[in-house]
Amino acid sequence: MADRRAQLVTRVRGMLGEALGATRTRLSTAQAELTTARERLAKVRRAAAVVPERVGAQRDRRLAEIDERHAARIAELARRAADAALREAPGAASAEWARWRPTPARRAEPPGPLRIGTVRIPGAEPVPALVPLLDAGHVELTGDDREGCEAVVSALLLRAVGRADPGTVRLVGYDPDHLGGGLAGFAPLGTAGLLTFVGPGGLARLLDDLVEQIRRINETVLAGEHSSLRELAAATGRRPEPWRVAVLLGGDELSRHERGQLDRVVRTGAACGVHLLVRGVSLPDDRTVTRVTVDRDGARVGGLPVRLDPPPPAPLVTETCREVAARVNAGPAPTPFTDLLPPPEQMWREDSATGLTAPIGEGPHGRPVLLTLGDYPPHALIGGPSGTGKTNLIFAWIGALAARYSPAELEFYLLDFKEGVSFARFAQGRRDPSWLPHMRLVGINVNTDREFGLALLRFLAEELRRRADAAKKHEVTKLAELRAVDPTGHWPRIVAVVDEFQMLLAGRDVVAREAADLLEDLARRGRSQGIHLVLASQDVRGIEALWGRPALVAQFTLRIALPKALRILAERNDAAQSLPRHHAVVNAESGMAEGNQIARIPSASDWETWSELQHRLWRMRPQDAAPARLFDGDAIPRLADAPDFRALTAPQAGHPRTPVALLGEIIDVQARSAALRLPRAPGRNLAVLGTRVDEACAVLDAAARSLARQHRPGTARFSIACLDPDADPAARALYEDLADDAAWYDEETVGELMVETAEGLGAPGVPHYLLLFAVDAAAGALGARVGRRTGLEELRRILHDGPERRTHVLAWWRGVARMRADLGGPAARTDQIGAWVALDAHGGELGSSLYPGTGGPDWYPRPWRGLFFDRAVHRTGQVIIPYGPSR
């Protein structure tokens, strides 16, 4: 039992020991955990202590970032607002006064709002404060700062004047308290009619006039097609009316009538370019009214605070107004040439069967002024002193017509009697290969070649006859009817323009008489066959050939008078005397005052303006189109370029042809060569008469070269005798070029040539051409007897018998008397000289023996011109231009 108790005690003790050990272990663990927890608590407490500071710093940093982005955004928006303001109000509308200058808006571009100050935005650049006025509305100024209000008025008016074309802003001032003193700086505008003042008591009349202007513009300018002048300008590219700004600076209480008229202007004025700028006058509430309050503590536009700009410097205002007035007094600038042209896709769409119609410019209300050529009016007369734009008007009219009518509908013939080459651009040139496809003839520098003008009239008369015959054949009377019954025929309308036409009719000679007769016939009958004349002149008072021909002038019912033109319009119609530059009076009623229309003519004469249209039309030309014939009176034609020379060829064996000697270019429309036929017939010889060496050599040279072109090598002989040292270079060049077919003779051997040629006349042989340069210089050598006869006697025999045996003399005598002496004296017959070219030999020297009739031809020599007469062909002499040197 004791053992059992001992065992139990031992077990209990063991168990208690284990329990104590376990307890101690758990206690130790709990204490360690407690320490860890306390340490964690301390860390948490320490971390919790720093959280507010960190959160605050992060919050502050975040707020700083937000503020920075906000400031940047505000600055960006302010910059964009400033950029937008500059785009809306560029140049003079918003520039600071230190660098301000007038910068008119482009044509038809709205002027935009005008700057009066700046809007201050903290942390950003100032933004221009803009006020709408022109084409936008009205401005009312209120407040107790009178100087500030005056600064706004000056700024708005100067910017408006500088933003518009000179003369397009007109001011009316009403300042009863200071009698115009508020607008004193703008007084220079009054010299050009751009500023007028209305005195005290005149407000009612001013408002009535503004209402009347609005009514007129709505009825006659906008005419229901557009809602405002701004819309019209955007649609058409033109603005026919100026802006009218009425500046009302104070005054008494408005009457009922004045208040009603003011309300009408406010409601309807902006659309018609009528605007109010008022101080001391209350405007009604309207969306077009901008109210600017100017107090001593600041200014506001609506509710927006604005810092006003300083007033513009007085010298800047005065100088700008003087410049604008000077430009307006000098006359308005011409409108763009493109205003006359249809859109490219509409070009060449018009039909000319019943007439030709095209605009020449714009009228006072902006509507195009049309010119018509047809059955009525058929012809036009243009007049204006030098420098008033006559050539420019012709260019504008030609361009407007050429853009509307194709070359199948319209052809031009141009002739310019004054010196200059302005019309040459219509023909093909060396620098510019283009030409106007409608142009058939261009004559320039023809002031000394009246025969060319006569040739044009003869050509038109022949064309009139051709059309009249066709009309008679088809039993019709007018061009429109002829085109209807003969649609496959070529019947375009013809417009012949003759500038300085009085040169053609000057004097009382044969040319003037025939030209006047042809003009009268063309003017009377041309209308029905589509041939229209446009005659232009600086003045018609000195046209002797028109005296006693009222029927001719009466045909020109369309009259166009440029500034200061005389005698173009009717006697009591003086509308042209007050015309500004770039304008014309267009009158289709024979110049009677009731037919007047005022047209503003565009600028069309400079090459850059015209070139674009001409190149466009040139690219549209038909495939078979040929360049216009260009006749330049100052140019010397070349034989190698002559169409008749290029057409010459040697005949085929067994098919002989009569040889032809080309002597020069005929002054005519077709650029033909003067041709001398050399058949086997008596008298087929040529005499060149005169002392001009170069021209005489040119005639013989062209004759020889053209003859040589018609003979194959070895089938003709050319004997060249040069008896004047000055002619030696030209004769030598001809001799070298004719090579084996030519033989050379001089003063010592020319007698042998005569004997040899005369003796050979009886034997058959090849054609023989004697080219004798200054044959009269060999009087001594030819006077000597060689065998039974002298050289002169042999020459006379050759002249008499040679042509029938294919031997022809082409000789140059340096005077008519010398030729007569060589032919046998004053009483000698000249039948053996069948043709001659007179250079500086006067018509009276030629006499009746060389020319039919008495007194000789009506010929007055001039440089590089000759009178050609072939008694077998001509009734009168033919003026020619010798061909220039071949080398």
Side-chain angles (χ1 to χ4, degrees):
M1 192 69 180
D3 290 336
R4 188 173 174 88
R5 189 179 295 125
Q7 290 178 349
L8 185 58
V9 170
T10 300
R11 178 188 277 178
V12 170
R13 287 179 177 172
M15 294 176 65
L16 289 173
E18 290 177 358
L20 180 60
T23 300
R24 288 176 177 171
T25 300
R26 283 199 291 272
L27 178 60
S28 176
T29 301
Q31 288 176 341
E33 291 177 352
L34 177 60
T35 301
T36 301
R38 286 175 176 172
E39 291 176 354
R40 189 164 56 249
L41 177 60
K43 290 180 180 180
V44 170
R45 286 176 175 174
R46 288 196 299 270
V50 301
V51 165
E53 181 180 355
R54 188 172 66 250
V55 171
Q58 187 173 358
R59 178 198 61 198
D60 293 343
R61 185 169 60 255
R62 181 61 176 165
L63 289 176
E65 291 175 357
I66 293 173
D67 290 342
E68 184 177 349
R69 285 202 301 271
H70 178 71
R73 182 62 174 167
I74 292 296
E76 175 64 17
L77 292 175
R79 184 187 65 78
R80 292 184 180 180
D83 291 343
L86 291 177
R87 286 193 299 271
E88 283 292 307
S94 63
E96 296 180 357
W97 301 125
R99 51 187 179 84
W100 188 91
R101 62 182 180 84
T103 56
R106 290 180 296 180
R107 197 164 185 266
E109 177 184 338
L114 308 172
R115 167 176 164 162
I116 63 170
T118 56
V119 177
R120 295 290 181 177
I121 299 176
E125 292 293 326
V127 176
L130 306 180
V131 172
L133 182 63
L134 301 183
D135 276 343
H138 318 279
V139 177
E140 178 186 346
L141 299 172
T142 60
D144 56 11
D145 188 352
R146 182 173 177 274
E147 293 182 357
C149 290
E150 291 178 351
V152 173
V153 171
S154 298
L156 287 175
L157 295 182
L158 183 61
R159 294 189 186 280
V161 169
R163 190 68 184 122
D165 283 331
T168 57
V169 172
R170 299 181 184 177
L171 308 179
V172 182
Y174 175 69
D175 188 7
D177 296 335
H178 297 87
L179 300 179
L183 300 176
F186 295 87
L189 293 176
T191 62
L194 302 179
L195 172 62
T196 56
F197 288 99
V198 176
L203 180 60
R205 293 192 301 275
L206 169 59
L207 294 175
D208 289 345
D209 180 67
L210 295 179
V211 170
E212 175 61 22
Q213 294 290 351
I214 295 170
R215 183 201 62 77
R216 178 186 61 81
I217 292 171
N218 276 320
E219 290 183 2
T220 64
V221 180
L222 299 179
E225 298 180 12
H226 302 279
S227 62
S228 68
L229 289 176
R230 180 172 182 172
E231 180 184 303
L232 184 149
T236 64
R238 55 182 174 80
R239 184 182 181 88
E241 291 286 331
W243 289 279
R244 296 173 172 86
V245 180
V247 185
L248 313 181
L249 304 178
D252 298 330
E253 185 69 24
L254 300 184
S255 66
R256 181 177 180 181
H257 173 75
E258 291 170 342
R259 173 56 62 185
Q261 295 293 67
L262 186 71
D263 291 352
R264 293 184 179 93
V265 173
V266 169
R267 291 195 310 271
T268 62
C272 299
V274 177
H275 307 281
L276 299 172
L277 175 56
V278 304
R279 177 175 58 81
V281 178
S282 176
L283 297 183
D285 290 334
D286 192 89
R287 61 181 181 81
T288 61
V289 176
T290 300
R291 305 186 193 278
V292 180
T293 304
V294 185
D295 294 324
R296 300 191 183 280
D297 57 351
R300 295 181 303 282
V301 177
L304 184 67
V306 172
R307 180 177 179 178
L308 295 178
D309 288 335
L316 178 64
V317 176
T318 303
E319 185 62 28
T320 300
C321 292
R322 284 176 179 166
E323 292 178 1
V324 170
R327 292 186 61 182
V328 172
N329 287 328
T335 57
F337 177 51
T338 52
D339 285 3
L340 300 184
L341 307 181
E345 64 275 9
Q346 296 297 322
M347 290 184 177
W348 291 5
R349 297 291 183 86
E350 302 291 335
D351 188 320
S352 67
T354 58
L356 300 165
T357 300
I360 193 61
E362 65 177 25
H365 298 151
R367 299 186 179 278
V369 175
L370 301 178
L371 291 183
T372 296
L373 291 175
D375 288 346
Y376 188 89
H379 313 293
L381 191 62
I382 303 173
S386 178
T388 55
K390 180 160 49 68
T391 301
N392 179 74
L393 184 145
I394 293 173
F395 271 66
W397 196 2
I398 289 174
L401 287 171
R404 286 167 171 76
Y405 299 94
S406 71
E409 300 288 333
L410 169 64
E411 290 182 350
F412 285 111
Y413 293 79
L414 266 60
L415 201 59
D416 189 357
F417 272 100
K418 67 178 182 298
E419 295 183 4
V421 296
S422 56
F423 285 170
R425 69 185 60 179
F426 299 120
Q428 189 175 37
R430 283 174 292 185
R431 291 189 303 172
D432 185 355
S434 72
W435 70 87
L436 191 64
H438 310 70
M439 202 62 59
R440 306 313 316 140
L441 173 71
V442 177
I444 59 175
N445 292 318
V446 293
N447 49 311
T448 60
D449 289 312
R450 296 163 61 231
E451 296 85 359
F452 188 78
L454 184 59
L456 172 60
L457 297 181
R458 289 171 176 168
F459 172 83
L460 294 176
E462 181 60 33
E463 176 64 19
L464 176 61
R465 188 177 302 110
R466 185 180 75 89
R467 294 184 176 208
D469 291 343
K472 186 183 299 183
K473 175 183 176 182
H474 291 283
E475 300 181 344
V476 296
T477 59
K478 296 182 180 181
L479 181 69
E481 298 170 347
L482 177 60
R483 291 176 59 166
V485 299
D486 184 20
T488 61
H490 182 65
W491 308 112
R493 287 192 178 265
I494 292 176
V495 176
V497 182
V498 184
D499 196 5
E500 301 303 338
F501 73 98
Q502 73 276 6
M503 298 290 294
L504 177 61
L505 305 177
R508 296 184 180 275
D509 57 6
V510 174
V511 173
R513 288 193 295 272
E514 184 179 357
D517 290 339
L518 288 172
L519 270 177
E520 186 168 346
D521 183 59
L522 287 168
R524 181 170 49 85
R525 299 194 298 130
R527 69 170 73 199
S528 61
Q529 302 303 333
I531 298 178
H532 308 283
L533 302 175
V534 177
L535 305 184
S537 173
Q538 293 185 19
D539 197 354
V540 298
R541 286 186 296 183
I543 305 175
E544 296 180 0
L546 289 182
W547 292 357
R549 292 182 179 268
L552 172 57
V553 180
Q555 299 297 327
F556 291 81
T557 54
L558 176 58
R559 312 285 179 85
I560 304 174
L562 293 158
K564 303 298 185 293
L566 299 174
R567 301 288 297 275
I568 297 296
L569 304 176
E571 185 175 354
R572 296 185 179 181
N573 187 353
D574 60 354
Q577 304 309 306
S578 58
L579 277 181
R581 293 176 60 204
H582 313 300
H583 286 68
V585 178
V586 176
N587 188 301
E589 301 297 334
S590 298
M592 302 302 291
E594 55 269 22
N596 287 350
Q597 293 187 79
I598 307 299
R600 186 182 179 191
I601 310 301
S603 176
S605 58
D606 64 276
W607 172 243
E608 293 298 329
T609 300
W610 180 264
S611 178
E612 182 178 352
L613 173 64
Q614 178 160 308
H615 279 82
R616 179 185 295 277
L617 299 181
W618 181 63
R619 291 190 294 269
M620 295 168 58
R621 71 190 186 280
Q623 292 183 351
D624 58 348
R629 149 89 156 126
L630 174 63
F631 175 83
D632 185 351
D634 287 347
I636 299 175
R638 296 178 67 250
L639 179 65
D641 298 333
D644 290 338
F645 178 75
R646 293 198 299 265
L648 294 176
T649 59
Q652 297 294 328
H655 297 82
R657 290 199 302 258
T658 300
V660 175
L662 304 184
L663 309 178
E665 183 179 284
I666 302 173
I667 296 183
D668 72 350
V669 173
Q670 290 92 356
R672 296 174 299 162
S673 297
L676 172 62
R677 297 180 71 252
L678 297 177
R680 300 179 65 172
R684 304 318 294 162
N685 302 300
L686 174 71
V688 181
L689 306 172
T691 61
R692 294 179 182 145
V693 177
D694 292 342
E695 298 170 28
C697 291
V699 173
L700 293 182
D701 181 88
R705 293 179 185 276
S706 56
L707 288 169
R709 192 175 175 90
Q710 300 167 67
H711 297 284
R712 290 190 297 275
T715 61
R717 292 176 57 198
F718 293 87
S719 296
I720 302 173
C722 182
L723 308 171
D724 184 346
D726 292 337
D728 190 79
R732 285 283 181 185
L734 176 62
Y735 168 68
E736 293 172 0
D737 289 346
L738 295 182
D740 296 337
D741 291 336
W744 180 264
Y745 298 88
D746 55 22
E747 188 173 356
E748 296 180 357
T749 58
V750 67
E752 299 176 4
L753 169 63
M754 299 304 162
V755 173
E756 174 192 346
T757 305
E759 291 177 349
L761 291 178
V766 298
H768 187 190
Y769 305 103
L770 280 71
L771 299 155
L772 309 180
F773 291 78
V775 64
D776 56 287
L782 294 178
R785 190 170 294 276
V786 181
R788 291 179 301 171
R789 295 186 180 89
T790 64
L792 283 177
E793 290 173 337
E794 298 289 14
L795 173 60
R796 294 166 195 158
R797 180 186 174 194
I798 296 169
L799 288 169
H800 188 274
D801 299 332
E804 294 180 79
R805 293 168 174 80
R806 298 198 295 177
T807 299
H808 306 275
V809 176
L810 295 89
W812 163 36
W813 279 275
R814 293 175 296 182
V816 178
R818 292 194 174 197
M819 182 190 72
R820 291 184 188 278
D822 289 348
L823 296 180
R829 294 180 60 86
T830 57
D831 295 349
Q832 61 268 44
I833 303 297
W836 47 261
V837 174
L839 299 174
D840 56 349
H842 285 265
E845 300 178 51
L846 298 169
S848 59
S849 61
L850 290 172
Y851 195 78
T854 59
D858 191 4
W859 166 245
Y860 300 96
R862 52 192 188 270
W864 213 261
R865 296 293 185 272
L867 183 67
F868 171 48
F869 180 77
D870 184 345
R871 68 174 71 241
V873 176
H874 297 146
R875 295 176 58 190
T876 60
Q878 193 173 56
V879 180
I880 67 170
I881 308 174
Y883 289 113
S886 299
R887 290 191 178 183

